[in-house]
Amino acid sequence: MFKSIKSKYLVPDDGSFRIAHASTLPPGKVHEKKEYKKQLNEVVEQLEDLQRILYAEDKYALLLIFQAIDAAGKDSTIRAVMSGVNPAGCQVYSFKRPTPEELDHDFLWRTARCLPERGRIGIFNRSYYEEVLVTRVHPEYLDLQKLPEPIDKDKLWKWRFESIRDHEKHLARNGTVILKFWLNVSKDEQRRRFLSRIDEPHKNWKFEIADVRERGFWDQYMKVYEKALNETSRPWAPWYAVPADNKPFMRVAVAEIIVKSLTKLGLEYPHVSPEVKSKFSEMRRMLENED
């Protein structure tokens, strides 16, 4: 079963992670955008090669989960990091407000339907973690979920964390490599990004009034994120708290974690059996002697 790689951004599995101690800025010297772009291009090339082998070997699936507060850069990071991957071997799902059909099932159902097959990379832009994040900040959303009454919220969150841990361990045991990224953006940087969505016409479409209203719940969100990461970061399903105030740096950091994790698997192209290989010379003669 896959186990997490070492990283300064790895959330430990002993419950000791504290958001107050997690930086939103790159460590050390900050490079120019063109330098980060160069680094990203190099890592993306490695990811492209690894994705081909992952697909050919058809033994593992890779599930990438991205969670963050609004404007942290989930969409742009997914786009940049996966820019070199063959679309045939990759699938992206964005999970927004649950549909009536989804509300008629348990909270893991809608994402379980979208899990990647062996050989493929699946990407969740938000995920089942919304049910221990936004729903915890806004418990009134539980009224829509048709849960058996009465609801003991303390037990409910405990049970959901248990369900998530069991779900992810089951997937890991069956060959799904799970990497979870929390993009750690500061409140000041979020404010700047919201203002740019107002000031720059080509970004106006991104602006939503509800996102600004949610800023009023910032402290509650940080509390539930910290709880969720501590409850569910495990060696077989690690969380990485990646600094997100500098998008170019963040993209490189995410891409490097993915590449190092895939490299650790020791992926190989499938070996041709001796019986099939013995036919190669005959097939070559047939092909070369065609009119």
Side-chain angles (χ1 to χ4, degrees), residues 279-291:
K279 301 290 185 179
F280 279 10
S281 296
E282 180 184 351
M283 296 301 103
R284 175 182 289 277
R285 287 194 300 272
M286 291 175 62
L287 291 167
E288 291 177 343
N289 292 330
E290 286 183 351
D291 293 334

Side-chain angles (χ1 to χ4, degrees), residues 184-243:
N184 182 18
V185 69
S186 67
K187 192 174 184 181
D188 285 343
E189 179 60 23
Q190 188 200 51
R191 175 179 173 272
R192 284 191 286 271
R193 293 179 187 177
F194 280 165
L195 287 172
S196 74
R197 292 179 178 182
I198 295 173
D199 296 337
E200 300 178 37
H202 69 283
K203 293 183 179 180
N204 287 170
W205 66 274
K206 294 183 178 182
F207 183 76
E208 292 188 22
I209 295 173
D211 291 345
V212 177
R213 290 174 178 163
E214 286 297 289
R215 276 175 62 82
F217 299 95
W218 183 275
D219 291 342
Q220 292 97 311
Y221 273 112
M222 293 303 105
K223 183 178 179 180
V224 297
Y225 269 110
E226 184 174 282
K227 179 67 172 177
L229 268 61
N230 277 317
E231 288 284 343
T232 60
S233 190
R234 295 294 183 268
W236 52 86
W239 274 107
Y240 295 92
V242 182

Side-chain angles (χ1 to χ4, degrees), residues 6-249:
K6 294 181 180 179
S7 169
K8 66 182 69 176
Y9 307 118
L10 176 65
V11 175
D13 60 2
D14 60 3
S16 63
F17 175 72
R18 297 295 177 267
I19 285 178
H21 300 156
S23 177
T24 63
L25 296 169
K29 180 182 177 181
V30 177
H31 300 293
E32 297 289 334
K33 283 186 178 181
K34 63 181 180 181
E35 176 61 26
Y36 285 127
K37 187 173 183 179
K38 178 183 177 183
Q39 292 178 25
L40 181 62
N41 288 339
E42 292 172 354
V43 182
V44 166
E45 285 185 10
Q46 297 175 53
L47 179 57
E48 180 183 12
D49 292 338
L50 288 165
Q51 184 268 333
R52 290 176 179 172
I53 306 173
L54 177 78
Y55 186 85
E57 190 179 51
D58 200 25
K59 184 184 294 183
Y60 296 98
L62 176 62
L63 175 61
L64 307 176
I65 295 177
F66 290 86
Q67 292 283 162
I69 209 79
D70 296 310
K74 297 185 299 298
D75 293 290
S76 62
T77 299
I78 293 169
R79 182 173 64 248
V81 172
M82 307 308 293
S83 60
V85 173
N86 183 350
C90 181
Q91 51 204 40
V92 183
Y93 295 95
S94 295
F95 296 99
K96 300 184 184 296
R97 181 176 298 177
T99 66
E101 181 185 19
E102 290 166 348
L103 289 170
D104 273 336
H105 292 81
D106 68 273
F107 78 99
L108 291 171
W109 181 79
R110 68 171 179 161
T111 51
R113 295 189 304 160
C114 303
L115 289 168
E117 307 96 312
R118 300 186 195 279
R120 295 173 66 87
I121 299 175
I123 302 169
F124 287 177
N125 185 343
R126 302 189 189 275
S127 66
Y128 43 85
Y129 279 98
E130 292 295 288
E131 296 304 328
V132 291
L133 294 169
V134 64
T135 306
R136 197 162 186 179
V137 173
H138 296 287
E140 63 271 19
Y141 293 168
L142 292 172
D143 296 338
L144 302 173
Q145 297 186 6
K146 307 174 185 178
L147 299 174
E149 294 181 345
I151 298 173
D152 183 329
K153 291 188 176 65
D154 290 334
K155 288 184 178 179
L156 176 67
W157 307 128
K158 178 183 177 182
W159 291 341
R160 286 192 172 182
F161 285 133
E162 288 178 355
S163 294
I164 289 172
R165 290 193 297 266
D166 290 344
H167 177 62
E168 291 179 342
K169 194 165 189 178
H170 168 74
L171 294 176
R173 283 171 171 164
N174 287 277
T176 297
V177 175
I178 305 168
L179 303 177
K180 301 175 293 190
F181 299 96
W182 178 56
L183 308 184
N184 182 18
V185 69
S186 67
K187 192 174 184 181
D188 285 343
E189 179 60 23
Q190 188 200 51
R191 175 179 173 272
R192 284 191 286 271
R193 293 179 187 177
F194 280 165
L195 287 172
S196 74
R197 292 179 178 182
I198 295 173
D199 296 337
E200 300 178 37
H202 69 283
K203 293 183 179 180
N204 287 170
W205 66 274
K206 294 183 178 182
F207 183 76
E208 292 188 22
I209 295 173
D211 291 345
V212 177
R213 290 174 178 163
E214 286 297 289
R215 276 175 62 82
F217 299 95
W218 183 275
D219 291 342
Q220 292 97 311
Y221 273 112
M222 293 303 105
K223 183 178 179 180
V224 297
Y225 269 110
E226 184 174 282
K227 179 67 172 177
L229 268 61
N230 277 317
E231 288 284 343
T232 60
S233 190
R234 295 294 183 268
W236 52 86
W239 274 107
Y240 295 92
V242 182
D245 280 5
N246 183 308
K247 285 185 179 181
F249 166 82

